[in-house]
Amino acid sequence: MAGILILAWARGMIGNRHRTVTAIAVVSALLAACATAPRLDSPLASPRGASPVGFPANIRTETTDSDFLKENAIARSGALAKAADRTVDILALSGGGAGGAYGAGVLTGLTLAGARPRFEVVTGVSTGALIAPFAFLGAEWDEKLREAYGGGATGNLLQSRGVAALWDVGVFDGKPLRELVERFVTDELVAAVAKESASGRLLIVATTNLDREETVIWDMGAIAAHGGPEARELFRNVLVASASVPGIFPPVMIEVEKDGQLYQEMHVDGGASTPFFVAPEAIREIDNLSNSPRGANIYVIVNGQSASAPRTTSNNTLDIAARSFTSVLNHLTRSSIAQTEDFARDNGMNFRFTAIPSDVQFGGSLDFNGPSMGETFNYGQRCASSGLVWVTQDQAKARNANEDAELKPFAEAGCPLLPPVR
């Protein structure tokens, strides 16, 4: 099963002989590690309503709790209603590993174009969770975002455990990922998130609790507002957990309590349970109470490709399994896009999304090579700064049918135009 997980997340790994050999080695190591690395002594899985030690229960919940974000939204809507433009802007950032360079480039490109909204709600999953604080804090943090995703900071992210992977968890050492998060998640950043959260804005990150097999959504503003080293530590742990692809990086253990009983939860990549997170209950409440005359704007950045370029599948187990699970993930992403657009339309909101087109060369979610990350970052920034980044499903369909002359600039610039999602 672990071998299948690595195939599901390692999009684009199989493209040449070297990558195929690497994939086989990774899968072999994961299969050998399936029954190793026992957890620390712990009682049964934590019950619903448990909270990290020292923190109130209202900093997080499972997605099955629809009232959590609704209540948070109502509590903050008064502050948001005072916004100058009275328009609610929501940004959802997907997973995608190295593809996060695209989303980071899009954000900096929007800044250059003078077209970057002040997002009232920002949500992030996996690599999108790492980008989310910078997106939340705005253009003043673009240089940090560029530093993190422009190709210079991730070159040593994948450090193999070697033979240690046979008895430990994660093919790659988790220390470089944690050090990367610690480098950018400073006291200054956490304090800035707390300040912006106090104005009513929401920063939400998703992880997957493997013990309960549920998506957990974390109110990062509430964590930041707690203050002190405990807040910074939990803030970092949540981001590391959300970016810890199962089988690739070790999971993050978080101690929680309820009714005086301590539990240990295993958290991994939020992308294991959701491609991105829109928080519809919060959006609906905030939009209703903001008295906006235009309706909320929902933006989704897919940090990767939602469709693969056509090619002949090799008649071997590895390639068949890899392409099968890539197909599942692609369809889940496109289905989520379609559902989000339906939600926006039904509630009088505006919807736009973007992703790396299938015909654009992309090294895949595990290609953290500096030059490759830099190229992806620059591509996203170029398209966004040229105003050629956001599309609707109708525009994507029209472009594929060559029906809309207004979309020719997208094609000529090689910028995002996606295949229909249904």
Side-chain angles (χ1 to χ4, degrees), residues 226-314:
H226 183 81
E230 297 85 5
R232 184 184 61 193
E233 183 67 16
L234 182 58
F235 199 103
R236 288 171 170 175
N237 283 341
V238 170
L239 293 184
V240 172
S242 188
S244 293
V245 180
I248 297 290
F249 297 111
V252 174
M253 301 298 184
I254 297 179
E255 289 191 357
V256 301
E257 62 181 346
K258 185 177 183 181
D259 299 329
Q261 176 66 62
L262 293 176
Y263 303 86
Q264 184 190 65
E265 295 178 346
M266 179 183 286
H267 286 261
V268 297
D269 192 337
S273 52
T274 183
F276 58 85
F277 185 65
V278 173
E281 294 82 8
I283 294 171
R284 186 184 291 112
E285 290 301 321
I286 291 174
D287 188 46
N288 289 341
L289 296 171
S290 69
N291 297 315
S292 170
R294 293 178 293 276
N297 298 312
I298 302 175
Y299 301 91
V300 174
I301 296 179
V302 177
N303 288 301
Q305 296 172 314
S306 62
S308 302
R311 70 168 175 82
T312 300
T313 304
S314 299

Side-chain angles (χ1 to χ4, degrees), residues 150-170:
T154 58
N156 297 318
L157 196 58
L158 300 183
Q159 294 186 11
S160 174
R161 289 176 177 267
V163 295
L166 296 175
W167 58 81
D168 209 337
V169 291

Side-chain angles (χ1 to χ4, degrees), residues 270-418:
S273 52
T274 183
F276 58 85
F277 185 65
V278 173
E281 294 82 8
I283 294 171
R284 186 184 291 112
E285 290 301 321
I286 291 174
D287 188 46
N288 289 341
L289 296 171
S290 69
N291 297 315
S292 170
R294 293 178 293 276
N297 298 312
I298 302 175
Y299 301 91
V300 174
I301 296 179
V302 177
N303 288 301
Q305 296 172 314
S306 62
S308 302
R311 70 168 175 82
T312 300
T313 304
S314 299
N315 192 20
N316 63 63
T317 300
L318 184 64
D319 204 15
I320 292 171
R323 298 212 72 191
S324 296
F325 283 93
T326 296
S327 175
V328 170
L329 291 176
N330 286 343
H331 282 273
L332 283 174
T333 298
R334 296 201 297 268
S335 176
S336 295
I337 290 172
Q339 292 172 9
T340 303
E341 185 177 58
D342 288 343
F343 166 79
R345 182 180 58 250
D346 293 345
N347 288 276
M349 301 175 185
N350 309 299
F351 174 72
R352 298 289 187 275
F353 70 107
T354 187
I356 302 174
S358 60
D359 59 351
V360 171
Q361 186 173 1
F362 173 56
S365 62
L366 295 182
D367 188 2
F368 291 102
N369 177 272
S372 179
M373 291 276 286
E375 290 176 7
T376 302
F377 179 92
N378 291 335
Y379 171 75
Q381 180 174 272
R382 174 174 61 82
C383 292
S385 63
S386 302
L388 302 173
V389 67
W390 301 117
V391 294
T392 65
Q393 287 198 83
D394 287 342
Q395 287 175 325
K397 293 174 184 177
R399 170 64 180 85
N400 279 273
N402 295 315
E403 295 174 352
D404 195 337
E406 294 181 0
L407 297 178
K408 287 184 179 179
F410 285 83
E412 293 171 355
C415 290
L417 279 168
L418 308 183

